[in-house]
Amino acid sequence: MLSNAQFLQLAIATPLGAALIIACGLPKRFAVKLAAVAFTLPALIALWLWSQFPAENAHQYSFLSTTYTGLADFGISLKLGLNGIALPMFLLAALVGAAAGFYALRSGAERLKLYLLLLLIMHGGLLGVFASVDIFFFYFFHELALIPTFIMVGVWGGRDRHYAAMKLTIYLTAGAMLSLLGLIALYVKSGANSFDLIELTDAIAAGGLDVRAQNWVGGLLLLGFGTLVSLWPLHTWAPLGYGAAPSSAAMLHAGVLKKFGLYGLIQIALPLLPIGMQHWAWKLALLAAFGNVLVVGFVTLAQRDLKQMLGYSSVMHMGYCFLGIACYSVIGSGGVVLLMVAHGLSVALLFLLATSVHHRTHSFDLAEMGGLAQKTPVLAAFFVAATMASIGLPGFANFPGELTVFVALWKFSPGLTAVAVAGVVISAVYGLRAAARIFFGPASEQLQRVHARHPPTDLDWREKLPALILLAALLFFGFYPKAISQPVDQALGHSAATQALFAPMKTR
Amino acid sequence: MHPMLNHAILVLLLPLASAAVIGLFLRRQGALAAWISTVTAGTIAAISIILLLHGERFEDSVEWLRFGTFSVSLGIKFDDLAALMLFIVGFVGFLIHVFSLGYMHDDPARARFFGGLSIFMFSMIGIVLADNLFMIFIFWELVGFSSWLLINHYHEKQSAADASKKAFIVNRVGDFGFLLGIIWCYYATSSGGAASTVNFTELAKLTAGGALPHGEWIALLLFCGAMGKSAQMPLQVWLPDAMEGPTPVSALIHAATMVAAGIYMLCRINVLMVPSALEVITWVGTITALYAALCAIVQRDIKKVLAYSTLSQLGYMVAAFGLGSTSTYALIDLPVATVATGVGAAMFHLTTHAFFKALLFLGSGSVIIGCHHEQDIFKMGGLRSKMPVTFFTFTIGVLAIIGLPFFAGFFSKDAILYLAMEKNTAVFAILAFTAVLTSFYMVRLWKITFLGETRSDAAKHAHESGFSMTLPLVVLALLSVAGGYSGVFDRLAGSVAGLVPEPDASGHTIILLVSLAVMTVGASAALLFYQSAATDTLEEKFRFGFSWLTWLKESFDRAYNYYVAKVQQRVAMLLNFLEQIFLAGLIIRGLAGFVGLIGYGARAVYTGSLHTYVFWFLLGAALLWAFAAGIF
Amino acid sequence: MTPLLATAPVYGLPSYLFVSALLFAIGFFGVLLRKNTLVIYMCLELMLLASTLALVAFSKFNGTLDGNVFVFFVLTIAAAEVAVGLAIIVALFRQRHTVQVEELNQLKH
Amino acid sequence: MSTEFLQAVADSNQWWALGPELTVACGALALLVLEILVPKKDLRFVPHLAVLTLLSTLIVVALNFDQTFGGEALFGGLIKLSAPGQVARVFFLLSSLLVCFLATICLPRARAPRVEFYHIVLVVTAALMLLAQANHFVMFFVALETVTIGFYILVSYYRERALSLEAGLKYLVLGALSSAILLFGIVLLYGAVGRVEQGGIVHTGFEYGTVLAFLRENPGNFLATAGALLVLGGVAFKIGAFPFQIWVPDVYQGAPTPVTAFLAVSSKAAGFAVLLTLVLNVFAPLQAVLVPVLSLLAGATIIFGNLSALTQRNTKRLMGLSGVAHAGYLLLGVIAAFTVPWAAGAVWFYLFTYLLASMAVFGVMAYVAGPDDRAEELDDYAQLAKDRPFLGGVLAVGVGSLAGIPPLAGFMGKLLLFVAAFQAQLYGLLVVAVGGVVVSIFYYFGWIRAAWFEIWTPPAPGAAPAPRPSPTALPFIGVVTLAALVLATVLLGFYPQPLAGWLLAR
Amino acid sequence: MADTLFLLLSALTVATALLVVVNKNAVNAAMFLLLSLVGLAGLFVLLDAPLLAFVLILVYAGAVVALFLFIIMLLDTTPGSFKAFQPLTVTAAGLGAALLGFGLWSLVHRAVLPLAPKSVPVPTMKQYAELLFTTYLLPVQVVGFLLLIAMLGVIVLSKKYTEVGERRTENR
C-alpha cells in the first residue's frame, strides 16, 4: 500500500506518464482508454487525500515528499505537499481536470491523440502547481501546463485562433517572466538560498526583508501574477483567448490555471511580503474594483459572442479575487480561496456547456439564438445552474466566496464594497440575459434553419458526466462551504500569526 | 437541542428533498412529481400547524462558514412571528399545491413546475426560520431564483422570459442595498468591542443596550431588500409583469407569501429601526399603495388588476410598519425599545391579505381555466351561473379586500387606518383615498367578470372547475372570513397579535365610519359606472383621465426601458468600444505594432553592404576606446 | 651585431607607437572608404602590419624577444589569410564578375 | 637564456596532456591520407571516420573529464589544463560531432568536395579546444586565427553559390578587421606590461598570469585598459555582441547549414570560453571598467538581437539574430561571474542547452531545406507538423528550448543565468533580458506557428501554389540523432542533474 | 642619425599607406603597399630586428603583394571601376577619422609606458630559434595546421570539379 505522500506523487505522475506513453506512439483506442484512467485516477486520489487531510494543523504541509533533481545546490528540489490552502486548489484541479478530460475523450477532435496528450500534460502541470512546496516547481509546473494551452488554441481553436494564440502566448509569457523575476527576487533577497517555501518563510521570519525590497518584489509579483490573472488593464488576452480556445483547454485554463497567480499571491506574496502587499493594496483594489468589476462588467454587457462574454465575465470575477487579496486579511484571503474554487468549477462548467450549445446551434452569436430550451431542456437546466452559480446564487459555492470577500472588503473600504456589490447586479444582468437569449423565447430563425439540417439532441452522457461532476462539486461546496473554509482558515490564521512578526517593521 | 427543533429542520429540508427527487429522477413523471410535491406541502402544513399550536418557541444554530473572525451561521429562530409566518406559508402553500394539481393537470412540464414550487417552499421557509441576516439573505436570493424559475415556466413565450429576467434583476437591485446594509450592520455591531453579529436575538440585545451607530443608513439599506421583494416604489415594476407565470404561482408567490417576505423581514429587524428611517418607509409604502391603486383602475387583464391590488396592499403593510411608534413594547419575550405597533398591524394585514389574495388569485385562475385561458375581463361576463362555486368564493374575497365589516380585511385595514390617523394625517388621508379606489376597482372587476351577459365564445363555454380547484377556494374563503377575528388571529399569531393597535372607543367609531364610507363610495361608484359591456365604459367617458392613468402606469416601465436601452446598453457599448479600439487596439496592438516597427527598423540596418558593417565596427572600437579612456 | 642606435634616440617608444597607431588608423580608414575588395584587403594587411610595428617596438624597448617571435606568427597567419581571402575573391569574381563591395549585397535584411 | 630554462620549458611540453587535440588533428590528417589511398567510390566512408574520431575522443574525454587537469600550466605556460577547459573540450567535440552529422545531410546535395570539409572541421575543432585552454596570448591568437581561417573556408564552401561566397567575403573582411583590432589590443597589453622578472625568469605581457598580476598593481593603466578592451572587442566579434553582431545574419544565411550551426554553436561558445577566462582570470582587476562595458554590450545585444529578429522570415537569419540575443543573455552570466562564482558554470550550462536545441533545429532545417537548400523561409515550414510530425515535434522542442520555455532545458539555462544575475544585482539588465525574452516569444512562437498551426489554411485562391520542396528523406541515423537531442533537451529540463551536477557543483 | 632615419622611414611608411587608401588604381595601390612595406622594414631594422625586416620583405613584398598584383591583373579590374567617394561616406569616414585622431592623441598622451631596460643586445638567430622550438613549439605546430587548411581551402575554392562547365550564376 502506498503512503499518502506517494499517492500525491502518483496523482501528478499519472497524467504525465500517460502523456509520455501516448507520445511514444500508443494506438488510438488504447490511448483513449489510458487517458480515461489518467484523468480519473488523480481525481480519486485527490478525494482520498482530502479525506485524509488533518484539518487541525492545516497550516503545515501534509503528505510531504522530496525528490532531488540535481539543483539541490541551488535549493531547488521537487518538494510536494499540501497545506490547507493548497488542498482545495488541488482538489479543484483534479475535478476540473477530470471533467475536461472526459469531455475531451469523446469530443471527436481531429488528431485526438495529440489533443489528449496535450491535455494530459496540462492536467499534470496543474496538479503539480498546487502540490508544489518548492516555488520553483510551482512556477515550472505552471509553465508546463501553459505550453499545451498555446498549441491547443493554435491548432484546435476557433475564430481568430492564430492571433489569439499569439497574444495569449506573449501576454502569459510576459506575466510568467515577471513573476519568475519576483520569485527569484524572493529567493535571493531572503537569503534562504532555497526555493523551498517552508525554508523561505523561516528565513524571512528570521531575517526579514526591508521595506524597499518588499515594495519592489511585491510590485513585481503583482504585475506578473496580475497579468496571468487578467488584472485590468492587462486582461485583453483573456476574452480573446477563451473565445478561441477549444473547450477543454478553456475549461482547464480559465478554471484552474488562471488561479495560479492568485494562489501565488495568497500562498507566497501575502505571508512573505506583508508590507509590500499593503503598499500596493489600494492601487490594486482601485484597479480591480473600477477596472475589473465595473468597466469589464459593462463591457461584458455589450458582448454578442457567448464565449467572449464568458471570457469577459471571468475577467470580471477575477476582480473580486483581487479585491479580496487587497484587503490583506484572513477573511479576504479565505474568501478568495473559496471563490477561486467556486469560480473554477463554474467557469469550467460554463465553457463546457457553451461548446455543447454550439454543437446544437452552430453559432456563438447570442443575437442569432433563442428558444433552444424547447428542444434541449436538460442542457438549459445545466446552463441555468451554471449561470446562477457564476452570478453568485446561494446554494452554489460562489456565493459564500463572494459574500466573504464583500465582508472583508467592507473593512478595507465601504465605498469599494458598494462598487463590488454593484458588480453582482451587473453580472446578474448579463448572465440572465445570455441564458434567456440562448434558451428562452420562441425559436429563432437561425436555430430553425440549423435544426432543419441537424435535428438537435439533448445532452448525452458524455456531456452530462463531466457537467455533473462540476455541478455536484459546486453544489456541495455551496451547501457546505466549511469543507473548504476550515482548512483554509487554519492555514491563513497561522500565516497571520507569522505576519505578526513583521508588525514592528511597519514603523520603520 | 430543543425537542421540537427537529420538526423545524424537517419542515425546512422536506421541500428541498422533494425538489431534489423531482429534479433528479422524476423529470418525465409529471403526475408522480405533482403528488410528491403536494404531499410534501401537506406535511409541511401539518407540521407548521403542530408547531404553531404546540406553543414551544426555541432557537438554535450551527456554524456554516468561518474565516478568521467572520463566521456565518445557519440557524432557526422559531418565535411567534416565525410560527405565524410558517403557518401562512405552509397552509396557503399547501392549498395552492392542491389547486395546482387541477390547474396544471395538462401541462407538459408539470414536473418542472412542481419541482419549482418545492424549491420555493424551501426558500420561503428558510426566510421564515432564519435566525440571522446572512441566512435571510441566502434564502432571500433563493426565493428570487425560484420566483424566476416559476415566472419563466412558459419559457417559450418571449414575454415570460423577459418578465422572469426582469423580476430577478430588479430583486437583485434591491439586494444590492440589502447586502450592503447587512455587512454594515455586521460591522456596526462590533463598535463596542463586542464580536460582530447579525443574529436577531443578539441584535435585539445590543439595541436594548444602546443604539447602533449609523442606524438610519443601515435601516434604509436593509429596507432596500424589502423594497425589491415586496415591490415597493420604485422597484415595483417587476410584479405586474410577473403575472406571466401560471396563476397558482401568482397566487402563492406574487400575492400571498414571497412578496410578503419583505414585510416579514422588516418585522424581524424592527429593532434596528430609527424614526427617520421609519418616516421614509412610511411614505414609500403610502405612495406605492396609492400609485398601484390608480394603476389598477385601468387594467383589463384579470390578473393584472389583482397584481396591482397586491402592490397596493403591500404598500399598506409597509406604511403600517413605518407608522409604528418607537415606544416600548414587549415583543415576544424581550424588552424592545422600538417599533412594535407597526409590526402588529403589518403582520395582521399580511395574514388576512394572504388568505383573501390567494383566494382571489385562485379564483381568477379558476376563471381563466374555465374560459380557456382568456384573461381579458371585458371578454367574460355572466360567469356567475356557469361557475357558481368560483363566483361565491370570489365574492367573499372581494368583500374581504374592500373591507366589508365582519370580513377579515375589515379588521386588518382598520388597524392600519387607525394607526395612520394617530400618527400622520396626510398618510391617513391618502390611505383612506386608496381604500376608495380599492373598493372601486375590485367591485368593477367582480361585476364585469361575473355579472351581466357573456361576451365571448370562451366565456360561453365556461364551466366550473374540478374538485381539487374548488376545495382550496372554499377553505380560503372560510379563512378570509374568519381570519380577522381576534379569536382566530390571536391563536395564530400569539404574542404578535398583542401588538395590533386597538383603537379606543372614540377612535373606533371614527375609523369604523371612515372605512364604511370609503368602501361604500368606491363600491357604489363602480356598480354605478359599469354595465356589462365589451369595452370599458368608464374609459369612454373619461378618456383623458384614463389615458393619464395609463401613462402613469407605463411611465416607470418606460423610464426603466429607457435606462436599459439608452443608458446602460450605450455605456456598455461605449466601454466596449473603448476596450476594443482603445485598449486592445490602440494601446496593446499599437504597442505591439510599435515594437514591430522598431523591429523593421532594426532589421533595416542589415543593409548587406560591407561598408556600413565596417562603420559598426568603427563605432564599436570607438566605444571601447571611450570606455578605456574613461569617457563613460 | 652591435645595436644601430647606440645613442639614446629622440624618437623613442611613443613615436613608434604613434606611427603604428597612425598606420592602423589609415588601414581602418581604407577599409571604410574603398569599394574594391582587393584594396580593402590590402588595407586590412596594413592594419596587421601596424600591429607588428608596435610589437617590434615594444619588444625592443621591453627587452623581451617574445614580441619579435610573435611577429613571425602574425606574418605567417597574415599570409595564410591573404591566400584564403584572395581565393574567395577570385571565386566570387567568377560567379559575379565584380569585386566592388556595393555590388555584393545580395544578403541583407 | 640558460639551457636549464630551455630544458625546463621543453620538459613542460607534455604532449600527452593534449591527447584529445592530437587525436582529432591526427584524424584530420588521416582523412587526407585516406583520400589519396582509397578509391573514389569508397570515399563515402570518410565522414564516418571523422565522426568516429570525434565520437571516440568525446567518449574518452567525457569518461576522464576530471582526471587530466591539475591546474598546472604546460608548454611553458602556453596551455593550462583546467576544469572549464575540459568542459570546453566536451562541448566542442560534441558540437563538431553534430556538425559532421549535419554535413552528412547537406553535403551530398551540393557539388562540393567532402573530405576537405571534414578535415577542416576536425582541425578547427582541435584549434577550438586549444583556444579554450590557452594561457598565453600567442597561443590564443594562433588558435583563434586557425579557427577563423577555417571558418573563412567553411563559410564560402559552396563555391558555386554566390551567396555562400558573398557570406565568405563578408566574414573574411569583418573577421580580419576584428582580428586586427584584437591583435592591436594584445600588442598594447604586451607593451603595457613590459618586462617582468620573477625569480630569474622573465615574463612578458603575453602570459595571462603576468597580465593579471600587472593589472592588479596598476588597475588604472590606460594602455593596458585599452588593450584589454580591444581584445574584448575581438572576442565580441566571435560571440556576436553589439555592435560587432552586424555580420551575423548575412554570414549565417549564406553559409552552408552545417557551417551555420558550427558558427552559431562552436564559434559562439569559443568566444564565451575565452571571454570567461579573460574576464575572470586575466582582466579581473579591471572590473570597474569591464562591468559597465559588458553591461552596455549585453543590454544592447539583447535588445538589438531580439528586435531585429522580430520580423525576420528567413530561418537562418532568424537563428543568427536570435543567437545574438542569446549572446546577450550569456553576457549577463559573464558579468554576474564577477561576483557570483558559479555563474561561469551557469554560462556553460546555458551553452550546452543552446547546443542541444540549436543542433536539433538546424537538423530540422537541413532536412526541410530540400534538395537545393533553398527552402529556408518560414512559409516553407507550413504544414510541416502534419506532413512530417517527427520533424515538427523536433522543431517545436528545439525552438521551445531556445525560447526558454519550461520544461525544456533552455528554461533551466535561463533560470540559472537570471538567478546569477539577480544575485549579482544586475536588476536593470534583468529587466531588459525579460523584455527580450518576451519579444523573442513572438518570433519563436511564429516559427512553431508556421510549422504547426498553418494546417488547414488553403492556398491562396486563384494563384497556383508553387510546389512545396519536399524535405529530404529521413534516414534512421537522422531520426536517432534528432530524437536523442530532443530527449536530452526534455530530460535536462526535468532532471538537470547530469549536466548541472557536473558544471555547477564545483 | 637614427632620428633622421626614423623620420624619413616613418614618413615614407605613412605617406605610402595613405596613398594606398586614396589611390584610384588598384595596381598602384598594391605598388604603394609595397613601398609602405619597405618603409616598415626599415623601421624594423631601426628597432634592431633585421631578421624580421628580412622576413617581412620576403613574405610580404615577395609573396603577398605579388599575389595581390597577380590577382588584380587576373581579375582585370580596370581603373575606371574606381568610384568617387560619396558625400555620406566621406562624412562618416571623416567622423571616423576624428574619432581615430582622438584615440591616437589619447594613446600617446596618456599611455604610461614601462621603463626600458638599460641596454638590450640585438637578438640573434639562435635566440629566435630557441624560443620558437622550445617555448613556442606548440603554436608553431598549430600554424602548420593553419597553413595546411589554408592551402586546402584555396584548393577547394579554386579547383575545377571533374564535371566541366560553368553553372549559371545563382541569383537569389
Side-chain angles (χ1 to χ4, degrees), chain B residues 125-397:
Chain B
I125 291 171
I127 290 183
V128 172
L129 296 177
D131 77 334
N132 66 66
L133 277 172
F134 282 127
M135 183 174 169
I136 274 214
F137 185 79
I138 290 172
F139 287 97
W140 202 253
E141 291 273 296
L142 283 176
V143 160
F145 165 71
S146 36
S147 163
W148 175 87
L149 193 65
L150 290 165
I151 298 171
N152 200 20
H153 183 74
Y154 302 121
H155 60 71
E156 64 280 358
K157 273 165 68 185
Q158 190 64 48
S159 54
D162 290 345
S164 61
K165 193 174 78 187
K166 190 173 180 179
F168 195 98
I169 289 168
V170 172
N171 267 301
R172 268 266 158 133
V173 173
D175 295 347
F176 163 75
F178 190 30
L179 182 57
L180 285 180
I182 294 174
I183 296 175
W184 194 339
C185 176
Y186 175 78
Y187 278 108
T189 52
S190 69
S191 61
S196 298
T197 180
V198 284
N199 184 292
F200 298 128
T201 314
E202 307 270 331
L203 283 177
K205 278 181 194 156
L206 280 173
T207 39
L212 294 170
H214 312 294
E216 178 183 320
W217 284 103
I218 292 174
L220 285 179
L221 281 172
L222 291 174
F223 175 60
C224 281
M227 262 161 68
K229 203 105 306 177
S230 292
Q232 295 302 295
M233 295 255 277
L235 300 181
Q236 87 288 14
V237 287
W238 66 271
L239 185 57
D241 288 16
M243 297 302 132
E244 288 291 340
T247 308
V249 168
S250 308
L252 178 62
I253 300 182
H254 306 121
T257 57
M258 176 186 112
V259 289
I263 317 296
Y264 176 77
M265 186 271 284
L266 285 178
C267 297
R268 266 280 180 239
I269 57 163
N270 65 358
V271 293
L272 296 173
M273 289 298 156
V274 291
S276 52
L278 286 174
E279 182 95 19
V280 176
I281 292 172
T282 308
W283 278 106
V284 168
T286 311
I287 292 171
T288 308
L290 176 64
Y291 168 83
L294 286 171
C295 293
I297 295 176
V298 295
Q299 293 301 320
R300 299 166 64 98
D301 184 317
I302 183 168
K303 281 177 74 180
K304 285 278 169 71
V305 177
L306 292 175
Y308 277 106
S309 108
T310 306
L311 268 180
S312 182
Q313 300 303 312
L314 287 167
Y316 263 94
M317 297 176 212
V318 169
F321 177 80
L323 287 167
S325 68
T326 50
S327 50
T328 305
Y329 286 88
L331 176 66
I332 301 105
D333 51 355
L334 283 163
V336 184
T338 179
V339 281
T341 39
V343 172
M347 283 311 292
F348 190 18
H349 196 57
L350 190 157
T351 311
T352 58
H353 177 257
F355 297 145
F356 62 66
K357 190 49 69 66
L359 169 61
L360 287 171
F361 262 111
L362 292 187
S364 77
S366 177
V367 167
I368 291 168
I369 280 283
C371 294
H372 310 284
H373 295 280
E374 177 58 63
Q375 301 199 11
D376 187 342
I377 51 174
F378 289 99
K379 290 186 179 156
M380 296 175 183
L383 295 178
R384 176 180 50 174
S385 52
K386 293 196 167 61
M387 308 176 75
V389 181
T390 307
F391 169 70
F392 178 68
T393 52
F394 199 91
T395 310
I396 290 175

Side-chain angles (χ1 to χ4, degrees), chain A residues 417-434:
Chain A
T417 316
V419 174
V421 178
V424 172
V425 181
I426 297 176
S427 67
V429 174
Y430 64 68
L432 284 178
R433 181 187 285 178

